[in-house]
mmCIF file of all heavy atoms in Angstrom:
data_model
loop_
_atom_site.group_PDB
_atom_site.id
_atom_site.type_symbol
_atom_site.label_atom_id
_atom_site.label_comp_id
_atom_site.label_asym_id
_atom_site.label_seq_id
_atom_site.Cartn_x
_atom_site.Cartn_y
_atom_site.Cartn_z
ATOM 1 N N GLY Q 13 -7.449 27.868 19.189
ATOM 2 C CA GLY Q 13 -8.433 27.888 20.261
ATOM 3 C C GLY Q 13 -8.324 26.595 21.073
ATOM 4 O O GLY Q 13 -8.073 25.532 20.485
ATOM 5 N N THR Q 14 -8.554 26.681 22.396
ATOM 6 C CA THR Q 14 -8.374 25.491 23.226
ATOM 7 C C THR Q 14 -9.650 25.194 24.026
ATOM 8 O O THR Q 14 -9.567 24.637 25.112
ATOM 9 C CB THR Q 14 -7.191 25.714 24.226
ATOM 10 O OG1 THR Q 14 -7.446 26.900 24.950
ATOM 11 C CG2 THR Q 14 -5.876 25.828 23.485
ATOM 12 N N GLY Q 15 -10.793 25.555 23.461
ATOM 13 C CA GLY Q 15 -12.091 25.333 24.184
ATOM 14 C C GLY Q 15 -12.626 23.943 23.965
ATOM 15 O O GLY Q 15 -11.873 23.010 23.595
ATOM 16 N N ASN Q 16 -13.921 23.789 24.222
ATOM 17 C CA ASN Q 16 -14.590 22.461 24.209
ATOM 18 C C ASN Q 16 -14.398 21.729 22.930
ATOM 19 O O ASN Q 16 -13.943 20.584 22.898
ATOM 20 C CB ASN Q 16 -16.089 22.660 24.461
ATOM 21 C CG ASN Q 16 -16.373 23.004 25.873
ATOM 22 O OD1 ASN Q 16 -15.659 22.522 26.751
ATOM 23 N ND2 ASN Q 16 -17.332 23.846 26.092
ATOM 24 N N ILE Q 17 -14.786 22.345 21.826
ATOM 25 C CA ILE Q 17 -14.846 21.591 20.562
ATOM 26 C C ILE Q 17 -13.429 21.309 20.027
ATOM 27 O O ILE Q 17 -13.163 20.324 19.388
ATOM 28 C CB ILE Q 17 -15.756 22.223 19.529
ATOM 29 C CG1 ILE Q 17 -16.249 21.164 18.542
ATOM 30 C CG2 ILE Q 17 -15.122 23.405 18.813
ATOM 31 C CD1 ILE Q 17 -17.038 20.058 19.112
ATOM 32 N N ALA Q 18 -12.497 22.247 20.342
ATOM 33 C CA ALA Q 18 -11.122 22.034 19.926
ATOM 34 C C ALA Q 18 -10.623 20.716 20.542
ATOM 35 O O ALA Q 18 -9.946 19.899 19.867
ATOM 36 C CB ALA Q 18 -10.265 23.210 20.333
ATOM 37 N N ALA Q 45 -2.660 26.675 19.538
ATOM 38 C CA ALA Q 45 -2.569 28.047 20.033
ATOM 39 C C ALA Q 45 -3.754 28.477 20.852
ATOM 40 O O ALA Q 45 -4.913 28.242 20.450
ATOM 41 C CB ALA Q 45 -2.413 29.021 18.867
ATOM 42 N N SER Q 46 -3.457 29.085 21.971
ATOM 43 C CA SER Q 46 -4.512 29.755 22.755
ATOM 44 C C SER Q 46 -4.242 31.266 22.571
ATOM 45 O O SER Q 46 -3.109 31.692 22.475
ATOM 46 C CB SER Q 46 -4.361 29.390 24.242
ATOM 47 O OG SER Q 46 -5.105 30.284 25.014
ATOM 48 N N SER Q 47 -5.309 32.021 22.522
ATOM 49 C CA SER Q 47 -5.181 33.475 22.419
ATOM 50 C C SER Q 47 -5.010 34.131 23.772
ATOM 51 O O SER Q 47 -4.634 35.247 23.922
ATOM 52 C CB SER Q 47 -6.374 34.094 21.689
ATOM 53 O OG SER Q 47 -7.543 33.827 22.424
ATOM 54 N N SER Q 48 -5.361 33.309 24.850
ATOM 55 C CA SER Q 48 -5.405 33.928 26.150
ATOM 56 C C SER Q 48 -4.197 33.622 27.027
ATOM 57 O O SER Q 48 -3.757 34.459 27.792
ATOM 58 C CB SER Q 48 -6.714 33.557 26.880
ATOM 59 O OG SER Q 48 -6.978 32.189 26.655
ATOM 60 N N SER Q 49 -3.627 32.364 26.914
ATOM 61 C CA SER Q 49 -2.434 32.113 27.760
ATOM 62 C C SER Q 49 -1.721 30.862 27.317
ATOM 63 O O SER Q 49 -2.335 29.929 26.794
ATOM 64 C CB SER Q 49 -2.877 31.923 29.231
ATOM 65 O OG SER Q 49 -3.412 30.650 29.386
ATOM 66 N N LYS Q 52 -2.936 27.672 29.083
ATOM 67 C CA LYS Q 52 -4.051 26.979 28.490
ATOM 68 C C LYS Q 52 -3.563 26.033 27.380
ATOM 69 O O LYS Q 52 -4.043 24.919 27.248
ATOM 70 C CB LYS Q 52 -5.093 27.948 27.910
ATOM 71 C CG LYS Q 52 -6.183 28.368 28.907
ATOM 72 C CD LYS Q 52 -7.150 29.308 28.310
ATOM 73 C CE LYS Q 52 -8.324 28.606 27.562
ATOM 74 N NZ LYS Q 52 -9.287 29.589 27.011
ATOM 75 N N TYR Q 72 -2.473 33.387 18.145
ATOM 76 C CA TYR Q 72 -2.916 32.718 16.885
ATOM 77 C C TYR Q 72 -2.034 33.205 15.714
ATOM 78 O O TYR Q 72 -1.737 32.450 14.821
ATOM 79 C CB TYR Q 72 -4.354 33.163 16.570
ATOM 80 C CG TYR Q 72 -5.414 32.676 17.540
ATOM 81 C CD1 TYR Q 72 -6.697 33.277 17.571
ATOM 82 C CD2 TYR Q 72 -5.156 31.626 18.435
ATOM 83 C CE1 TYR Q 72 -7.689 32.824 18.445
ATOM 84 C CE2 TYR Q 72 -6.158 31.196 19.318
ATOM 85 C CZ TYR Q 72 -7.397 31.808 19.322
ATOM 86 O OH TYR Q 72 -8.358 31.379 20.181
ATOM 87 N N TYR Q 85 -7.371 24.530 11.994
ATOM 88 C CA TYR Q 85 -8.734 24.251 12.478
ATOM 89 C C TYR Q 85 -9.156 25.387 13.403
ATOM 90 O O TYR Q 85 -8.584 25.595 14.470
ATOM 91 C CB TYR Q 85 -8.769 22.921 13.216
ATOM 92 C CG TYR Q 85 -10.058 22.628 13.970
ATOM 93 C CD1 TYR Q 85 -11.264 22.516 13.280
ATOM 94 C CD2 TYR Q 85 -10.070 22.485 15.346
ATOM 95 C CE1 TYR Q 85 -12.475 22.242 13.970
ATOM 96 C CE2 TYR Q 85 -11.212 22.210 16.031
ATOM 97 C CZ TYR Q 85 -12.413 22.124 15.345
ATOM 98 O OH TYR Q 85 -13.592 21.837 16.048
ATOM 99 N N ALA Q 87 -11.493 26.985 15.978
ATOM 100 C CA ALA Q 87 -12.456 26.507 16.962
ATOM 101 C C ALA Q 87 -12.785 27.626 17.979
ATOM 102 O O ALA Q 87 -12.834 27.411 19.159
ATOM 103 C CB ALA Q 87 -11.911 25.277 17.650
ATOM 104 N N THR Q 88 -12.998 28.840 17.445
ATOM 105 C CA THR Q 88 -13.316 29.950 18.289
ATOM 106 C C THR Q 88 -14.821 30.272 18.168
ATOM 107 O O THR Q 88 -15.515 29.660 17.349
ATOM 108 C CB THR Q 88 -12.463 31.185 17.881
ATOM 109 O OG1 THR Q 88 -12.724 31.451 16.483
ATOM 110 C CG2 THR Q 88 -10.959 30.876 18.038
ATOM 111 N N PRO Q 89 -15.374 31.172 18.975
ATOM 112 C CA PRO Q 89 -16.801 31.474 18.862
ATOM 113 C C PRO Q 89 -17.199 32.015 17.459
ATOM 114 O O PRO Q 89 -16.326 32.632 16.777
ATOM 115 C CB PRO Q 89 -17.052 32.574 19.901
ATOM 116 C CG PRO Q 89 -15.888 32.415 20.870
ATOM 117 C CD PRO Q 89 -14.753 31.952 20.054
ATOM 118 N N HIS Q 90 -18.442 31.796 17.028
ATOM 119 C CA HIS Q 90 -18.837 32.225 15.671
ATOM 120 C C HIS Q 90 -18.437 33.643 15.328
ATOM 121 O O HIS Q 90 -18.081 33.977 14.226
ATOM 122 C CB HIS Q 90 -20.333 32.169 15.418
ATOM 123 C CG HIS Q 90 -21.179 31.187 16.167
ATOM 124 N ND1 HIS Q 90 -20.765 29.934 16.496
ATOM 125 C CD2 HIS Q 90 -22.439 31.265 16.631
ATOM 126 C CE1 HIS Q 90 -21.713 29.311 17.104
ATOM 127 N NE2 HIS Q 90 -22.757 30.090 17.225
ATOM 128 N N HIS Q 92 -16.055 35.302 15.923
ATOM 129 C CA HIS Q 92 -14.650 35.569 15.535
ATOM 130 C C HIS Q 92 -14.203 34.785 14.307
ATOM 131 O O HIS Q 92 -13.054 34.865 13.918
ATOM 132 C CB HIS Q 92 -13.731 35.248 16.718
ATOM 133 C CG HIS Q 92 -13.880 36.231 17.850
ATOM 134 N ND1 HIS Q 92 -15.101 36.492 18.487
ATOM 135 C CD2 HIS Q 92 -13.000 37.087 18.439
ATOM 136 C CE1 HIS Q 92 -14.908 37.397 19.431
ATOM 137 N NE2 HIS Q 92 -13.668 37.798 19.397
ATOM 138 N N HIS Q 93 -15.080 33.960 13.743
ATOM 139 C CA HIS Q 93 -14.681 33.093 12.621
ATOM 140 C C HIS Q 93 -14.119 33.914 11.444
ATOM 141 O O HIS Q 93 -13.132 33.542 10.844
ATOM 142 C CB HIS Q 93 -15.850 32.180 12.162
ATOM 143 C CG HIS Q 93 -16.161 31.121 13.141
ATOM 144 N ND1 HIS Q 93 -17.199 30.230 13.005
ATOM 145 C CD2 HIS Q 93 -15.586 30.734 14.352
ATOM 146 C CE1 HIS Q 93 -17.289 29.411 14.008
ATOM 147 N NE2 HIS Q 93 -16.317 29.730 14.852
ATOM 148 N N HIS Q 96 -10.662 35.149 12.203
ATOM 149 C CA HIS Q 96 -9.654 34.113 12.382
ATOM 150 C C HIS Q 96 -9.401 33.333 11.122
ATOM 151 O O HIS Q 96 -8.275 32.918 10.848
ATOM 152 C CB HIS Q 96 -10.107 33.201 13.561
ATOM 153 C CG HIS Q 96 -10.015 33.908 14.894
ATOM 154 N ND1 HIS Q 96 -10.758 33.558 15.974
ATOM 155 C CD2 HIS Q 96 -9.272 34.993 15.280
ATOM 156 C CE1 HIS Q 96 -10.484 34.363 16.997
ATOM 157 N NE2 HIS Q 96 -9.602 35.233 16.579
ATOM 158 N N GLU Q 110 -15.000 25.888 12.304
ATOM 159 C CA GLU Q 110 -16.217 25.427 12.965
ATOM 160 C C GLU Q 110 -17.474 26.106 12.398
ATOM 161 O O GLU Q 110 -17.429 27.161 11.770
ATOM 162 C CB GLU Q 110 -16.117 25.639 14.499
ATOM 163 C CG GLU Q 110 -15.732 24.404 15.223
ATOM 164 C CD GLU Q 110 -16.482 23.129 14.836
ATOM 165 O OE1 GLU Q 110 -17.673 23.229 14.459
ATOM 166 O OE2 GLU Q 110 -15.957 22.005 14.914
ATOM 167 N N LYS Q 111 -18.620 25.438 12.645
ATOM 168 C CA LYS Q 111 -19.879 25.966 12.146
ATOM 169 C C LYS Q 111 -20.436 26.985 13.111
ATOM 170 O O LYS Q 111 -20.145 26.848 14.315
ATOM 171 C CB LYS Q 111 -20.923 24.849 11.910
ATOM 172 C CG LYS Q 111 -20.975 23.709 12.899
ATOM 173 C CD LYS Q 111 -21.282 23.874 14.344
ATOM 174 C CE LYS Q 111 -22.431 24.546 14.894
ATOM 175 N NZ LYS Q 111 -22.563 24.464 16.362
ATOM 176 N N PRO Q 112 -21.183 27.985 12.624
ATOM 177 C CA PRO Q 112 -21.337 28.351 11.228
ATOM 178 C C PRO Q 112 -20.048 28.997 10.731
ATOM 179 O O PRO Q 112 -19.332 29.666 11.498
ATOM 180 C CB PRO Q 112 -22.516 29.341 11.282
ATOM 181 C CG PRO Q 112 -22.402 29.973 12.627
ATOM 182 C CD PRO Q 112 -21.870 28.882 13.542
ATOM 183 N N ALA Q 137 -16.823 23.296 9.205
ATOM 184 C CA ALA Q 137 -16.715 21.979 9.879
ATOM 185 C C ALA Q 137 -18.093 21.410 10.199
ATOM 186 O O ALA Q 137 -18.376 21.117 11.364
ATOM 187 C CB ALA Q 137 -15.875 22.113 11.138
ATOM 188 N N TRP Q 139 -19.576 18.594 10.403
ATOM 189 C CA TRP Q 139 -19.126 17.191 10.461
ATOM 190 C C TRP Q 139 -20.205 16.199 10.140
ATOM 191 O O TRP Q 139 -19.962 15.075 9.586
ATOM 192 C CB TRP Q 139 -18.547 16.885 11.857
ATOM 193 C CG TRP Q 139 -19.491 17.101 12.996
ATOM 194 C CD1 TRP Q 139 -20.124 18.257 13.307
ATOM 195 C CD2 TRP Q 139 -19.875 16.139 13.969
ATOM 196 N NE1 TRP Q 139 -20.885 18.106 14.445
ATOM 197 C CE2 TRP Q 139 -20.762 16.817 14.879
ATOM 198 C CE3 TRP Q 139 -19.577 14.819 14.219
ATOM 199 C CZ2 TRP Q 139 -21.332 16.179 15.981
ATOM 200 C CZ3 TRP Q 139 -20.153 14.201 15.314
ATOM 201 C CH2 TRP Q 139 -21.037 14.866 16.182
ATOM 202 N N HIS Q 182 -22.287 33.294 28.328
ATOM 203 C CA HIS Q 182 -21.834 32.138 27.531
ATOM 204 C C HIS Q 182 -22.101 32.421 26.036
ATOM 205 O O HIS Q 182 -23.115 33.020 25.724
ATOM 206 C CB HIS Q 182 -22.441 30.853 27.965
ATOM 207 C CG HIS Q 182 -21.843 29.630 27.334
ATOM 208 N ND1 HIS Q 182 -22.178 29.191 26.093
ATOM 209 C CD2 HIS Q 182 -20.922 28.783 27.780
ATOM 210 C CE1 HIS Q 182 -21.494 28.128 25.769
ATOM 211 N NE2 HIS Q 182 -20.698 27.828 26.813
ATOM 212 N N ARG Q 183 -21.254 31.922 25.181
ATOM 213 C CA ARG Q 183 -21.409 32.184 23.729
ATOM 214 C C ARG Q 183 -22.755 31.682 23.177
ATOM 215 O O ARG Q 183 -23.232 32.129 22.144
ATOM 216 C CB ARG Q 183 -20.252 31.593 22.916
ATOM 217 C CG ARG Q 183 -20.183 30.091 22.964
ATOM 218 C CD ARG Q 183 -19.333 29.478 21.863
ATOM 219 N NE ARG Q 183 -19.552 28.034 21.815
ATOM 220 C CZ ARG Q 183 -20.565 27.494 21.158
ATOM 221 N NH1 ARG Q 183 -21.428 28.179 20.504
ATOM 222 N NH2 ARG Q 183 -20.723 26.153 21.217
ATOM 223 N N LEU Q 189 -21.117 37.481 21.016
ATOM 224 C CA LEU Q 189 -20.401 36.297 20.453
ATOM 225 C C LEU Q 189 -21.294 35.586 19.443
ATOM 226 O O LEU Q 189 -21.105 34.382 19.194
ATOM 227 C CB LEU Q 189 -19.993 35.348 21.627
ATOM 228 C CG LEU Q 189 -19.022 35.900 22.637
ATOM 229 C CD1 LEU Q 189 -18.731 34.893 23.760
ATOM 230 C CD2 LEU Q 189 -17.690 36.295 22.003
ATOM 231 N N LEU Q 195 -27.938 29.897 15.046
ATOM 232 C CA LEU Q 195 -26.641 29.728 14.514
ATOM 233 C C LEU Q 195 -25.908 28.523 15.111
ATOM 234 O O LEU Q 195 -25.043 27.925 14.467
ATOM 235 C CB LEU Q 195 -25.802 31.027 14.724
ATOM 236 C CG LEU Q 195 -25.799 31.947 13.477
ATOM 237 C CD1 LEU Q 195 -27.170 32.460 13.173
ATOM 238 C CD2 LEU Q 195 -24.845 33.140 13.721
ATOM 239 N N ASP Q 196 -26.237 28.199 16.362
ATOM 240 C CA ASP Q 196 -25.532 27.086 16.983
ATOM 241 C C ASP Q 196 -26.118 25.713 16.653
ATOM 242 O O ASP Q 196 -25.407 24.770 16.353
ATOM 243 C CB ASP Q 196 -25.452 27.263 18.491
ATOM 244 C CG ASP Q 196 -24.345 26.447 19.073
ATOM 245 O OD1 ASP Q 196 -23.197 26.886 19.017
ATOM 246 O OD2 ASP Q 196 -24.607 25.343 19.564
ATOM 247 N N TYR Q 200 -28.023 22.754 12.110
ATOM 248 C CA TYR Q 200 -28.055 21.308 11.797
ATOM 249 C C TYR Q 200 -29.374 20.930 11.145
ATOM 250 O O TYR Q 200 -29.440 20.082 10.277
ATOM 251 C CB TYR Q 200 -27.830 20.489 13.085
ATOM 252 C CG TYR Q 200 -26.435 20.541 13.617
ATOM 253 C CD1 TYR Q 200 -26.118 21.267 14.755
ATOM 254 C CD2 TYR Q 200 -25.420 19.841 12.996
ATOM 255 C CE1 TYR Q 200 -24.841 21.319 15.275
ATOM 256 C CE2 TYR Q 200 -24.121 19.876 13.495
ATOM 257 C CZ TYR Q 200 -23.832 20.630 14.649
ATOM 258 O OH TYR Q 200 -22.567 20.670 15.134
ATOM 259 N N PHE Q 299 -27.315 16.162 14.800
ATOM 260 C CA PHE Q 299 -25.942 16.392 14.405
ATOM 261 C C PHE Q 299 -25.143 15.058 14.356
ATOM 262 O O PHE Q 299 -24.111 14.935 13.719
ATOM 263 C CB PHE Q 299 -25.221 17.416 15.285
ATOM 264 C CG PHE Q 299 -25.493 17.281 16.745
ATOM 265 C CD1 PHE Q 299 -24.841 16.358 17.535
ATOM 266 C CD2 PHE Q 299 -26.421 18.123 17.383
ATOM 267 C CE1 PHE Q 299 -25.090 16.273 18.908
ATOM 268 C CE2 PHE Q 299 -26.661 18.063 18.731
ATOM 269 C CZ PHE Q 299 -26.018 17.108 19.519
ATOM 270 N N LYS Q 333 -16.200 10.973 18.905
ATOM 271 C CA LYS Q 333 -17.349 11.785 18.621
ATOM 272 C C LYS Q 333 -17.828 11.491 17.166
ATOM 273 O O LYS Q 333 -19.019 11.541 16.882
ATOM 274 C CB LYS Q 333 -16.963 13.266 18.785
ATOM 275 C CG LYS Q 333 -18.119 14.238 18.511
ATOM 276 C CD LYS Q 333 -18.826 14.550 19.809
ATOM 277 C CE LYS Q 333 -19.808 15.691 19.591
ATOM 278 N NZ LYS Q 333 -20.693 15.866 20.727
ATOM 279 N N MET Q 335 -15.769 12.905 14.469
ATOM 280 C CA MET Q 335 -15.339 14.054 13.623
ATOM 281 C C MET Q 335 -14.224 13.715 12.685
ATOM 282 O O MET Q 335 -13.792 14.518 11.888
ATOM 283 C CB MET Q 335 -14.931 15.200 14.554
ATOM 284 C CG MET Q 335 -16.131 15.732 15.279
ATOM 285 S SD MET Q 335 -15.810 17.133 16.328
ATOM 286 C CE MET Q 335 -17.424 17.877 16.368
HETATM 287 N N1 NAP S 1 -19.148 20.690 15.514
HETATM 288 C C1 NAP S 1 -19.697 20.611 16.723
HETATM 289 O O1 NAP S 1 -20.310 19.615 17.100
HETATM 290 C C2 NAP S 1 -19.563 21.770 17.633
HETATM 291 C C3 NAP S 1 -19.835 21.628 18.990
HETATM 292 C C4 NAP S 1 -19.631 22.709 19.828
HETATM 293 C C5 NAP S 1 -19.212 23.934 19.298
HETATM 294 N N2 NAP S 1 -18.949 24.032 17.992
HETATM 295 C C6 NAP S 1 -18.529 25.326 17.400
HETATM 296 O O2 NAP S 1 -17.205 25.580 17.816
HETATM 297 C C7 NAP S 1 -17.026 26.965 18.102
HETATM 298 C C8 NAP S 1 -16.483 27.065 19.538
HETATM 299 O O3 NAP S 1 -17.373 26.503 20.421
HETATM 300 P P1 NAP S 1 -16.854 25.906 21.869
HETATM 301 O O4 NAP S 1 -18.067 25.274 22.466
HETATM 302 O O5 NAP S 1 -15.649 25.146 21.709
HETATM 303 O O6 NAP S 1 -16.574 27.283 22.640
HETATM 304 P P2 NAP S 1 -15.617 27.489 23.851
HETATM 305 O O7 NAP S 1 -15.528 26.256 24.704
HETATM 306 O O8 NAP S 1 -16.098 28.766 24.514
HETATM 307 O O9 NAP S 1 -14.195 27.723 23.198
HETATM 308 C C9 NAP S 1 -13.957 28.780 22.348
HETATM 309 C C10 NAP S 1 -12.441 29.114 22.421
HETATM 310 O O10 NAP S 1 -12.232 30.187 21.513
HETATM 311 C C11 NAP S 1 -11.189 30.981 22.003
HETATM 312 N N3 NAP S 1 -11.543 32.408 21.917
HETATM 313 C C12 NAP S 1 -10.918 33.319 21.159
HETATM 314 N N4 NAP S 1 -11.480 34.462 21.256
HETATM 315 C C13 NAP S 1 -12.474 34.365 22.147
HETATM 316 C C14 NAP S 1 -13.422 35.265 22.698
HETATM 317 N N5 NAP S 1 -13.434 36.566 22.377
HETATM 318 N N6 NAP S 1 -14.354 34.771 23.592
HETATM 319 C C15 NAP S 1 -14.307 33.480 23.915
HETATM 320 N N7 NAP S 1 -13.451 32.560 23.395
HETATM 321 C C16 NAP S 1 -12.504 33.023 22.563
HETATM 322 C C17 NAP S 1 -10.860 30.560 23.439
HETATM 323 O O11 NAP S 1 -9.692 29.743 23.372
HETATM 324 P P3 NAP S 1 -8.265 30.370 23.769
HETATM 325 O O12 NAP S 1 -8.460 31.188 24.960
HETATM 326 O O13 NAP S 1 -7.462 29.183 23.979
HETATM 327 O O14 NAP S 1 -7.786 31.159 22.585
HETATM 328 C C18 NAP S 1 -12.005 29.615 23.779
HETATM 329 O O15 NAP S 1 -11.607 28.555 24.606
HETATM 330 C C19 NAP S 1 -18.395 27.621 17.886
HETATM 331 O O16 NAP S 1 -18.404 28.268 16.639
HETATM 332 C C20 NAP S 1 -19.377 26.452 17.857
HETATM 333 O O17 NAP S 1 -20.435 26.651 16.974
HETATM 334 C C21 NAP S 1 -19.132 22.974 17.155
#
Side-chain angles (χ1 to χ4, degrees):
T14 57
N16 286 326
I17 204 62
S46 166
S47 59
S48 41
S49 78
K52 268 181 87 179
Y72 296 163
Y85 169 63
T88 58
H90 330 324
H92 290 59
H93 289 178
H96 291 156
E110 261 311 331
K111 38 60 55 173
W139 59 302
H182 190 277
R183 65 163 192 83
L189 297 177
L195 264 61
D196 199 81
Y200 289 106
F299 42 81
K333 183 91 171 171
M335 293 183 155

